[in-house]
């Protein structure tokens, strides 16, 4: 079925859907990731079915987080739908800042949402955001460069193997970096990556009394390992590279390996966008033999701010965008490899999707991530690449800035960790945790 066919089939429905209802214009804030950009191209299907129109505000990840947080905490009312994630949703739901999604239609089949996703987007058993796509993180690597280096990627590699392989695949004269990783400041950018990585080194943000732990050997080992590996094998300017920058480098053939969101797999294997589409393999995120891998758990999800005057129309959009039918719409037009992944159980039971080369590794990565048990030593917080407390975003943004400054050579790793320790303990004391 083509998009034109789908729109034609929807025309009859649109009259029924809008009879007796006022057509709204919905303002939606979203992130500038590929799947979200793709969704914008299909919104005429939603308009044909409901009569509602959509106005998009598409922002870089760090800016999106700032804008939606400011809007919801000040009751600004700028957006009818916000794209948020597993960090914000339970906190904002608890505060009464989001409209519950406990009355979605039976046809929507909320029970089909993967438990890892619905659990992370709920508070006290109530869903407050619906996942557009879900993700963990995994290794994406150039099979040709790995072979040329005389090495073979294990299904579940260690960090020592990754560092060795990165150095073997690096070819500065050819402009090939052995590894591309996030160094960009921002709690959800480089901060998310290094926190997930630190778990596998035995680090944690806080001990059980909420004391910061950046003065430990485990955090020192994490940052020194990361910086040394990236200095030897990473791209110039990696301290300012986030998801989109590394995606572009990989698609251009300039990365031997990239460890990042599983959702990127469809973009690095798409021959329309990637010069290395037929040379990509996948493996679980690395570990250090301590029982914790360095993969995270996340969903970019759609939520309705409390107090919205367009709640009914907003819920209609959320049902449309996160439905089984939307997945089929994308599959019909762009192929099963390009549907939004990681959100619904039925997708991974679909025989059409089982042949997608990264489908199993994506699901395995999601299922192996446990936000309730993410650190080697006990920790008082829930979360893998974040600590699910309201203060974390502000603290981690500052800490990630110090880390990025160390990556860029503006200060030493030890200086960055000392500042992170002070920033975190001061903030936690001011918030009453200590």
């Amino acid at each position: 079925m083509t998009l034109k066919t789908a729109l034609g089939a929807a025309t009859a429905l649109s009259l029924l859907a809008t009879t007796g209802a006022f057509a709204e214009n919905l303002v939606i804030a979203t992130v500038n990731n590929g799947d979200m950009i793709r969704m914008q191209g299909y919104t005429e299907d939603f308009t044909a079915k409901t009569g509602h129109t959509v106005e998009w505000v598409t922002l870089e990840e760090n800016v999106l987080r700032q804008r939606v947080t400011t809007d919801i905490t000040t009751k600004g009312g700028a957006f009818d739908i916000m794209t948020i994630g597993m960090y914000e949703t339970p906190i904002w739901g608890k505060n009464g800042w989001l409209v519950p999604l406990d009355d979605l239609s039976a046809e929507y089949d909320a029970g089909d949402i993967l438990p890892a996703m619905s659990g992370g987007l709920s508070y006290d058993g109530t869903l407050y955001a619906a996942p557009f796509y879900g993700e963990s993180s995994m290794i994406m690597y150039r099979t040709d460069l790995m072979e040329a280096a005389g090495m073979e990627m294990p299904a579940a590699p260690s960090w020592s193997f990754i560092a060795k392989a990165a150095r073997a695949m690096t070819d500065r004269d050819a402009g090939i970096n052995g590894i591309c990783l996030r160094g960009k400041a921002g709690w959800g950018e480089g901060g998310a990556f290094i926190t997930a990585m630190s778990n596998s080194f035995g680090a944690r943000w806080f001990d059980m009394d909420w004391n910061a732990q950046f003065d430990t050997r485990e955090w020192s080992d994490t940052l020194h390992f990361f910086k040394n590996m990236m200095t030897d094998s990473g791209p110039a300017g990696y301290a300012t590279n986030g998801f989109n920058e590394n995606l572009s480098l990989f698609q251009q053939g300039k990365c031997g390996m990239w460890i990042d969101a599983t959702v990127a797999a469809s973009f690095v294997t798409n021959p329309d966008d990637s010069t290395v589409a037929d040379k990509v393999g996948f493996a679980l995120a690395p570990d250090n033999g301590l029982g914790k891998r360095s993969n995270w758990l996340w969903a970019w999800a759609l939520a309705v701010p409390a107090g919205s005057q367009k709640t009914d129309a907003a819920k209609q959009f959320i049902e449309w965008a996160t439905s089984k039918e939307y997945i089929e719409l994308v599959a019909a037009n762009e192929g099963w490899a390009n549907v939004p992944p990681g959100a619904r159980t039925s997708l991974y039971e679909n025989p059409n999707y089982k042949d997608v080369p990264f489908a199993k590794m994506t699901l395995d990565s999601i299922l192996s991530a446990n936000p309730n048990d993410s650190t080697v030593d006990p920790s008082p917080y829930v979360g893998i690449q974040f600590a699910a407390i309201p203060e974390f975003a502000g603290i981690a943004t500052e800490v990630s800035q110090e880390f990025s400054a160390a990556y860029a050579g503006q200060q030493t790793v030890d200086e960055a960790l000392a500042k992170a320790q002070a920033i975190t303990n001061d903030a936690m004391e001011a918030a009453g945790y200590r």
Side-chain angles (χ1 to χ4, degrees), residues 21 27 75 191 303 336 355 359 402-403 427:
V27 180
K75 298 181 172 61
W336 282 99
D355 291 334
E402 299 298 339
F403 289 176

Side-chain angles (χ1 to χ4, degrees), residues 123-409:
Y123 172 71
D124 198 21
T126 297
L127 190 71
Y128 281 93
F132 179 65
Y133 68 75
E135 66 181 44
S136 183
S137 51
M138 65 182 178
I139 303 167
M140 294 159 278
Y141 68 95
R142 289 274 300 278
T143 54
D144 57 331
L145 296 181
M146 187 69 72
E147 182 179 355
M151 303 179 74
E152 184 176 347
M153 176 70 79
S158 66
W159 274 112
S160 60
F161 175 88
I162 294 301
K164 182 179 179 181
R167 292 181 179 100
M169 287 192 285
T170 297
D171 185 343
R172 297 299 189 197
D173 292 337
I176 296 173
N177 308 286
I179 192 163
C180 296
L181 300 173
R182 300 187 192 191
K184 188 176 187 176
W187 74 261
E189 276 279 11
F193 181 87
I194 201 68
T195 295
M197 180 179 176
S198 77
N199 294 335
S200 67
F201 279 73
R204 53 187 175 164
W205 268 75
F206 305 101
D207 67 13
M208 293 302 290
D209 295 318
W210 294 103
N211 297 303
Q213 297 295 289
F214 293 106
D215 58 354
T216 60
R217 177 184 58 81
E218 290 83 2
W219 264 109
S220 178
D221 287 350
T222 302
L223 254 66
H224 277 106
F225 183 95
F226 177 85
K227 185 175 181 182
N228 289 340
M229 180 173 61
M230 295 302 290
T231 299
D232 290 346
S233 310
Y238 74 88
T240 58
N241 287 350
F243 175 86
N244 284 326
E245 291 82 3
N246 286 323
L247 171 61
S248 178
L249 286 169
F250 195 96
Q251 288 177 322
Q252 293 172 48
K254 296 181 179 180
C255 301
M257 291 178 288
W258 179 30
I259 305 171
D260 213 302
T262 52
V263 72
S266 69
F267 299 106
V268 298
T269 57
N270 186 338
D272 292 336
D273 302 315
S274 175
T275 62
V276 296
D278 59 343
K279 303 179 181 68
V280 184
F282 306 96
L284 290 174
D287 72 357
N288 268 321
L290 300 178
K292 303 296 177 186
R293 306 207 77 82
S294 49
N295 57 307
W296 63 63
L297 187 68
W298 185 254
W300 278 118
L302 302 177
V304 183
S308 169
Q309 302 303 305
K310 303 175 183 178
T311 300
D312 290 343
K315 286 183 178 180
Q316 282 184 275
F317 182 87
I318 289 174
E319 285 206 23
W320 171 81
T322 64
S323 66
K324 298 175 188 178
E325 289 72 24
Y326 177 82
I327 290 174
E328 291 169 358
L329 176 63
V330 175
N333 287 278
E334 303 189 42
W336 282 99
N338 295 310
V339 304
R344 287 188 169 269
T345 300
S346 57
L347 178 63
Y348 293 91
E349 297 172 344
N350 189 318
N352 295 307
Y353 197 66
K354 288 182 178 180
D355 291 334
V356 172
F358 49 81
K360 184 178 185 303
M361 188 60 69
T362 295
L363 185 61
D364 288 348
S365 297
I366 289 172
L367 295 179
S368 71
N370 185 356
N372 295 304
D373 184 21
S374 63
T375 56
V376 174
D377 293 327
S379 60
Y381 54 88
V382 172
I384 299 176
Q385 74 277 28
F386 58 83
I389 57 174
E391 295 78 12
F392 180 80
I395 298 170
T397 296
E398 289 190 57
V399 167
S400 72
Q401 290 166 351
E402 299 298 339
F403 289 176
S404 291
Y407 306 154

